[in-house]
Amino acid sequence: MAKVLIATEKPFAAAAVEGIKNIISGAGFEIAVLEKYTEKKQLLEAVADVDAIIIRSDIIDAEVMDAAKNLKIVVRAGAGYDNVDLEAATARKVVVMNTPGQNANAVAELVLGLLVYAVRNFYNGKSGSELLGKKLGILAFGNVGRNVARIAKGFGMDVYAYDAFCPADVIEAAGVHAVKNQEALFETCDIVSLHIPATPETTKSINYDLCSKMKKGAILINTARKEVIDEAGLWKLMAERADLKYITDIMPKADKEFKCFTGRYFSTPKKMGAQTAEANTNAGLAAANQIVDFIKNGVTKFQVNK
Ligand code: 3PG
């Protein structure tokens, strides 16, 4: 009997775990759960006899794969899979999948929630400003970026986007202004929202020079990955320009240093974008179904390490 492990340092909502259990047991497989683990050792022990693992931002590296002698598939219940060593997986014939789009609305709603919080001065009682009519720049027009655009239009924002891999006509067809490059996005918009994955190309790409192009009073919001920010460069710029705000749901390594920008910096303590019952259920159930479909029928539709 195949065994599936849910390994989530940051647990899914209980309803999502129930749903996953039903799918896995219904397929005749065994299910185990490891939540809120604090040490890698616990993960290494839990994977010893499993065929499949469902994860979130949990790190699956070569050591974890070597500890999981029967491992055939890892499904990242979510979008970004930079937490899985794809090369190590391919070398061990382990299939890696994600569940694209399943948690996108949750992240997008948080973007607008954080923006309201930011323009209202973190609810400190002082007069703030509104999002209506402001120019919002979306960097990368994938599932999250598109949802941010949809919701932002409801706020009456003027929405712009740039995506190195998405043609301008696709962006324009969604009722969004396409700009020619990311520099133009930073120069044009009052608020820039990051939705790029963490890759070797994007790591530290949001740097001093790029952010220097931001308009007076601009806000940078990051619900993508902390790795894409050149933290030293952004810190230096914010020290020079008292008009800029940085808002994120991924605490920077330099959180303590950024905290000196009182009223201009905010980070949630845990990554919160996808942390809703709905997103957990959508992504978790999709992950469970993909595992069943892979083990029973060999379906590899969402494989990312081909
Ligand atoms: C994703 O890549 O899907 C999001 O960043 C959510 O990550 P999380 O599952 O760790 O909340």
Side-chain angles (χ1 to χ4, degrees), residues 110-131 217-222 238 242-249 255 258-268:
L110 187 76
V111 169
L112 275 297
L114 287 172
L115 284 179
V116 172
Y117 187 52
V119 295
R120 296 301 182 97
N121 299 318
F122 308 154
Y123 307 149
N124 70 356
K126 290 193 182 147
S127 190
S129 59
E130 300 181 21
L131 296 175
I219 301 174
L220 178 66
I221 177 160
N222 181 16
M238 287 181 72
D243 58 305
L244 298 178
K245 281 186 178 149
Y246 179 52
I247 310 296
T248 183
D249 80 328
D255 174 60
F258 275 96
K259 277 199 172 118
C260 76
F261 301 121
T262 312
R264 298 197 287 132
Y265 165 72
F266 175 77
S267 170
T268 57

Side-chain angles (χ1 to χ4, degrees), residues 120-306:
R120 296 301 182 97
N121 299 318
F122 308 154
Y123 307 149
N124 70 356
K126 290 193 182 147
S127 190
S129 59
E130 300 181 21
L131 296 175
L132 178 73
K134 299 293 186 306
K135 291 186 164 74
L136 172 67
I138 297 174
L139 185 56
F141 206 59
N143 288 307
V144 180
R146 285 162 211 242
N147 275 282
V148 171
R150 171 181 58 79
I151 302 168
K153 281 197 261 175
F155 275 78
M157 299 188 81
D158 193 12
V159 186
Y160 293 72
Y162 173 72
D163 188 319
F165 303 99
C166 179
D169 56 336
V170 174
I171 293 174
E172 297 276 349
V176 172
H177 309 288
V179 297
K180 62 178 190 305
N181 54 37
Q182 58 182 15
E183 285 74 17
L185 198 73
F186 277 68
E187 276 163 13
T188 308
C189 296
D190 303 297
I191 297 163
V192 176
S193 188
L194 305 178
H195 301 291
I196 45 177
T199 65
E201 291 74 33
T202 63
T203 297
K204 294 194 177 182
S205 64
I206 309 303
N207 56 26
Y208 179 90
D209 286 348
L210 183 62
C211 295
S212 300
K213 298 183 186 304
M214 285 196 293
K215 291 165 77 170
K216 190 168 177 358
I219 301 174
L220 178 66
I221 177 160
N222 181 16
T223 54
R225 287 289 181 274
K226 67 169 173 253
E227 290 79 5
V228 304
I229 302 281
D230 176 357
E231 292 184 7
L234 181 59
W235 192 91
K236 179 173 180 271
L237 183 67
M238 287 181 72
E240 287 169 11
R241 281 186 52 182
D243 58 305
L244 298 178
K245 281 186 178 149
Y246 179 52
I247 310 296
T248 183
D249 80 328
I250 317 127
M251 190 183 285
K253 277 197 191 125
D255 174 60
K256 275 199 189 104
E257 287 86 335
F258 275 96
K259 277 199 172 118
C260 76
F261 301 121
T262 312
R264 298 197 287 132
Y265 165 72
F266 175 77
S267 170
T268 57
K270 280 235 172 198
K271 186 150 73 117
M272 289 301 294
Q275 198 60 324
T276 66
E278 293 87 343
N280 292 171
T281 301
N282 294 342
L285 269 53
N289 282 320
Q290 286 171 215
I291 286 172
V292 172
D293 229 14
F294 171 73
I295 294 179
K296 290 205 163 172
N297 309 314
V299 175
T300 56
K301 187 171 171 201
F302 294 104
Q303 185 172 357
V304 294
N305 65 331
K306 278 179 184 163

Side-chain angles (χ1 to χ4, degrees), residues 9-10 12 55-58 76-83 99 103-104 107 144 223-225 249-250 271-275 280 283:
E9 178 274 322
K10 184 176 61 187
F12 290 124
I55 54 159
R56 297 186 64 179
S57 291
D58 307 79
R76 194 282 189 241
Y81 43 85
D82 47 302
N83 47 322
T99 64
N103 58 19
V107 180
V144 180
T223 54
R225 287 289 181 274
D249 80 328
I250 317 127
K271 186 150 73 117
M272 289 301 294
Q275 198 60 324
N280 292 171

